[in-house]
Amino acid sequence: MVTGGAGFIGSHVVKLLAGKYPASKIVVFDALTYAGNLANLQELDGLDNYVFVKGDITDVDSVRRVLEEYGVDTILNLAAESHVDRSITDPLIFARTNVMGILTLLHAAREYWGDQLEGKLFYHISTDEVYGSLGFEDGPFTEQTPYSPRSPYSASKASSDHFVRAFGETYGMPIIISNCSNNYGPYQFPEKLIPLTVNNIRNGKPIPVYGKGENVRDWLYVGDHARAIDLIMNHGTPGETYNIGGDCEISNIEVVKTLIEITDRLLGRPEGASADLITFVKDRSGHDLRYAIDHSKLTRELGWRPATAFRDGIEHTVKWYLENSAWLKGVTSGEYLDYYTKMYASR
């Protein structure tokens, strides 16, 4: 059962698992709020080992029904409200989904699995933002870094992490948590920096950059993240936490400049033609200065490491957005919200 499987990261994970494990039933459980898009999974329609169920992780009866109907033995939780700006505007939604939703999943799983825990797993995908903010001279986050969330979003994710660990300790539930750095790649909702910038360059709109653009993020290609999740799900040690990073620290302004160079070139425009679209705006409240992930535990224990260089990944990503203008238009116009109705209303 993959919660949030119609979202950006979730859809990449589902497609990887559906192709790799044809004998396993993969149940996508997603509320299809603004960031969930069934068009992300349309290539799986008709596969025998894939099924979609529309549902909310805060609805315990819906969760119970799915667990029982499909005999779920593994829960991959990717369902989350994840945009910091939205959490500043409405933190209650983040508490509802990211805290109460995960608690509901845990409670339903404990009820359904009972004492039959052999072969069961609750795998919770979290974020590096729970660790707080690093200075430029600080070492990267490790699995032992104390939590220090600084936004309603990261506070809600930190809370869900604590509940997952508590169920592991209190009830003996087999749990795993992974904390990842900033993901990028195809199918990302265009409120995020990279797809927003590409779309604005194409349409000649201002590119908003917080402050001076000096904030640094560790960028992880979504395909590499999906591989890590698959590896951890199958070979990780229950009760453990694994950090997943991209070995790629870049400031926001450098990311934007790279996107301008690539997008202008692919559109046949003069180099740097869109540079004047950069618009520095008031910095976000509590904006974390720097994130960096030490993934050495995952590399040492399970042999994973990021395989996609940023330049290669970002080139592929920009090409995908430019070549999939219908997907982007559907999302920015809101048409994608009708996809579920069109695809499933007659079934």
Side-chain angles (χ1 to χ4, degrees):
M1 177 182 183
V2 184
T3 64
F8 165 47
I9 299 173
S11 63
H12 283 271
V13 172
V14 170
K15 285 181 280 193
L16 173 65
L17 299 181
K20 190 172 179 180
Y21 305 106
S24 296
K25 177 72 74 173
I26 298 159
V27 183
V28 172
F29 187 79
D30 198 301
L32 296 182
T33 55
Y34 80 94
N37 185 353
L38 269 183
N40 297 350
L41 296 170
Q42 63 182 358
E43 66 194 69
L44 301 183
D45 285 336
L47 290 185
D48 292 336
N49 68 332
Y50 159 73
V51 63
F52 175 81
V53 178
K54 186 178 181 181
D56 192 324
I57 61 171
T58 64
D59 181 349
V60 69
D61 290 332
S62 294
V63 174
R64 284 177 181 142
R65 281 196 298 270
V66 171
L67 295 178
E68 293 170 1
E69 180 177 354
Y70 295 100
V72 171
D73 57 19
T74 300
I75 297 172
L76 293 183
N77 178 57
L78 290 112
E81 294 286 345
S82 64
H83 196 259
V84 175
D85 288 347
R86 288 178 182 261
S87 80
I88 293 171
T89 301
D90 192 348
L92 291 180
I93 291 177
F94 283 69
R96 178 181 179 274
T97 299
N98 297 355
V99 183
M100 292 307 300
I102 278 59
L103 183 55
T104 299
L105 282 173
L106 288 162
H107 178 66
R110 176 174 170 256
E111 281 189 328
Y112 175 62
W113 290 338
D115 295 329
Q116 306 302 310
L117 297 176
E118 183 70 27
K120 307 298 193 301
L121 178 64
F122 191 104
Y123 180 2
H124 176 62
I125 285 79
S126 190
T127 173
D128 59 358
E129 296 190 41
V130 298
Y131 297 124
S133 181
L134 292 170
F136 288 124
E137 303 302 320
D138 294 330
F141 299 132
T142 71
E143 289 82 0
Q144 286 73 46
T145 300
Y147 277 27
S148 183
R150 289 160 45 92
S151 72
Y153 162 58
S154 56
S156 68
K157 291 295 289 185
S159 178
S160 66
D161 291 5
H162 290 322
F163 270 114
V164 172
R165 289 195 182 93
F167 268 65
E169 293 292 335
T170 304
Y171 305 112
M173 181 180 288
I175 62 97
I176 291 178
I177 298 173
S178 61
N179 299 79
C180 70
S181 55
N182 275 38
N183 280 223
Y184 71 97
Y187 295 103
Q188 189 170 28
F189 196 80
E191 67 185 356
K192 298 298 180 103
L193 176 64
I194 289 174
L196 174 68
T197 299
V198 173
N199 199 35
N200 284 12
I201 292 169
R202 175 164 50 188
N203 294 302
K205 295 181 178 180
I207 303 168
V209 178
Y210 282 125
K212 297 179 181 179
E214 295 174 339
N215 302 74
V216 172
R217 300 293 180 258
D218 178 11
W219 292 96
L220 172 66
Y221 186 65
V222 66
D224 288 339
H225 188 194
R227 286 192 304 104
I229 289 173
D230 174 40
L231 187 64
I232 293 168
M233 178 183 71
N234 284 286
H235 302 288
T237 302
E240 291 295 315
T241 295
Y242 298 91
N243 280 350
I244 309 171
D247 286 340
C248 183
E249 290 187 56
I250 305 177
S251 68
N252 289 343
I253 190 62
E254 288 304 315
V255 170
V256 168
K257 289 178 178 178
T258 300
L259 290 169
I260 289 171
E261 182 267 307
I262 294 173
T263 307
D264 279 344
R265 170 167 49 80
L266 293 176
L267 290 172
R269 298 174 180 173
E271 183 177 345
S274 301
D276 60 353
L277 296 176
I278 295 175
T279 304
F280 294 103
V281 298
K282 182 181 178 181
D283 206 359
R284 170 193 288 160
S285 299
H287 198 179
D288 293 337
L289 178 62
R290 172 176 167 251
Y291 304 141
I293 281 279
D294 178 352
H295 61 77
S296 59
K297 175 181 177 179
L298 181 57
T299 300
R300 181 177 64 254
E301 295 187 7
L302 300 182
W304 178 92
R305 62 178 65 253
T308 308
F310 181 75
R311 185 72 190 196
D312 295 335
I314 207 69
E315 180 98 12
H316 172 73
T317 299
V318 172
K319 285 181 180 178
W320 188 89
Y321 283 112
L322 295 179
E323 293 170 358
N324 289 270
S325 57
W327 180 91
L328 197 57
K329 180 181 178 182
V331 174
T332 54
S333 69
E335 294 175 4
Y336 75 104
L337 295 172
D338 297 328
Y339 190 88
Y340 174 82
T341 302
K342 293 175 183 177
M343 292 297 295
Y344 287 86
S346 62
R347 298 186 181 185

